[in-house]
Amino acid sequence: SFSNAVGQRRAAWRALKSFEERGEARDSAEEAAWRRSYRGRVEQELRQICGTILGLLGSNLIPNASTTTAKLSYLKMKGDYHRYLAEFEEGDAKAQAGEMARAAYADAWSVADLGLPATDPIRLGTALSHATFRYEVLSDRDGAIRAARAAFEGALAELDNLAEDSYKDTTLIMQLLRDNINLWTGEMASGQEPLGPETSGSKRYDQHGDSKVPHSDPLLDQAAPQ
């Protein structure tokens, strides 16, 4: 599937980029050249796959979405796939992908505010993606923490009214939001600079793939992040 293809290539890119940053000084010129060439091939494949998905979203899926939930899900995907491009692009291409992601997430929030509850899993997933985008791509740690905290606390306030069939997904994403808030505030307190996608420990939950989900029970406690 598209989501698996993108997830595998993003994981490969992060591993290659991280290795380059940690080990390039020890590489021979031939090894470094091979690694850069392979990373370039992965990036080109990501451009092609993301471009195809974004084309489908723009020409068909978003215009024809018949429900608020469907439209929010597709706008979130649009933001996510532009974010994936912004993770590795440079210069003007990075700026353009980042702006397209920002605009898509803004459109998604406009849809979410039409009536979806704070505990809705797709709304929470959008909040998680948007906060991760602000942290990893924009290096806006304050904005990322505020966005994640607002989503977490809004859902926590309505948790008693949560339907049984949504409980597992909702509490899982709340846990990921809480984990990121604690991670990012800890980094801020230690004076550490925001990390890019190749080295960030940020938790992600993309319903269309590339999940980075802990195996522990979700939301073991309901205390808001400190």
Side-chain angles (χ1 to χ4, degrees):
S1 69
F2 278 133
S3 59
N4 288 336
V6 170
Q8 290 166 1
R9 284 159 179 80
R10 289 178 70 217
W13 182 87
R14 287 194 294 266
L16 286 165
K17 185 69 173 176
S18 179
F19 188 88
E20 285 177 18
E21 293 181 349
R22 287 185 289 107
E24 191 160 21
R26 298 189 297 273
D27 284 350
S28 67
E30 183 178 355
E31 289 171 332
W34 177 87
R35 208 177 321 279
R36 285 193 296 270
S37 175
Y38 185 69
R39 178 165 57 84
R41 190 175 80 184
V42 171
E43 291 173 355
Q44 185 56 33
E45 290 174 355
L46 277 168
R47 289 186 190 98
Q48 292 173 349
I49 298 169
C50 289
T52 298
I53 296 169
L54 289 166
L56 290 171
L57 288 166
S59 65
N60 186 11
L61 297 176
I62 293 173
N64 294 320
S66 58
T67 66
T68 299
T69 298
K71 190 162 188 177
L72 174 60
S73 179
Y74 292 142
L75 286 168
K76 175 191 179 294
M77 288 178 67
K78 182 179 179 180
D80 288 346
Y81 282 101
H82 280 298
R83 169 166 61 92
Y84 302 158
L85 292 171
E87 287 176 346
F88 68 83
E89 295 286 17
E90 298 178 356
D92 291 344
K94 181 181 184 69
Q96 181 178 16
E99 174 56 25
M100 295 296 287
R102 185 206 61 75
Y105 288 132
D107 289 343
W109 278 117
S110 296
V111 171
D113 286 338
L114 292 177
L116 290 178
T119 53
D120 179 82
I122 299 177
R123 179 179 180 133
L124 282 171
T126 302
L128 179 62
S129 287
H130 185 212
T132 302
F133 164 72
R134 295 180 75 160
Y135 175 84
E136 293 185 346
V137 176
L138 302 182
S139 298
D140 177 15
R141 187 157 50 193
D142 287 337
I145 292 171
R146 285 196 303 271
R149 190 183 297 276
F152 180 93
E153 293 179 350
L156 188 63
E158 298 183 17
L159 203 57
D160 289 343
N161 301 320
L162 183 61
E164 183 71 24
D165 58 356
S166 299
Y167 186 86
K168 182 177 179 180
D169 286 342
T170 293
T171 53
L172 171 59
I173 303 172
M174 288 177 69
Q175 179 183 353
L176 300 180
L177 283 163
R178 184 187 60 184
D179 289 348
N180 281 350
I181 294 166
N182 291 334
L183 173 69
W184 297 339
T185 53
E187 290 172 354
M188 181 180 292
S190 68
Q192 181 175 331
E193 290 297 317
L195 300 175
E198 69 275 12
T199 52
S200 171
S202 302
K203 304 292 178 64
R204 306 173 184 88
Y205 181 66
D206 298 339
Q207 289 92 332
H208 46 271
D210 185 48
S211 296
K212 193 175 181 182
V213 178
H215 297 290
S216 59
D217 293 335
L219 208 64
L220 297 178
D221 63 83
Q222 295 178 11
Q226 301 302 310

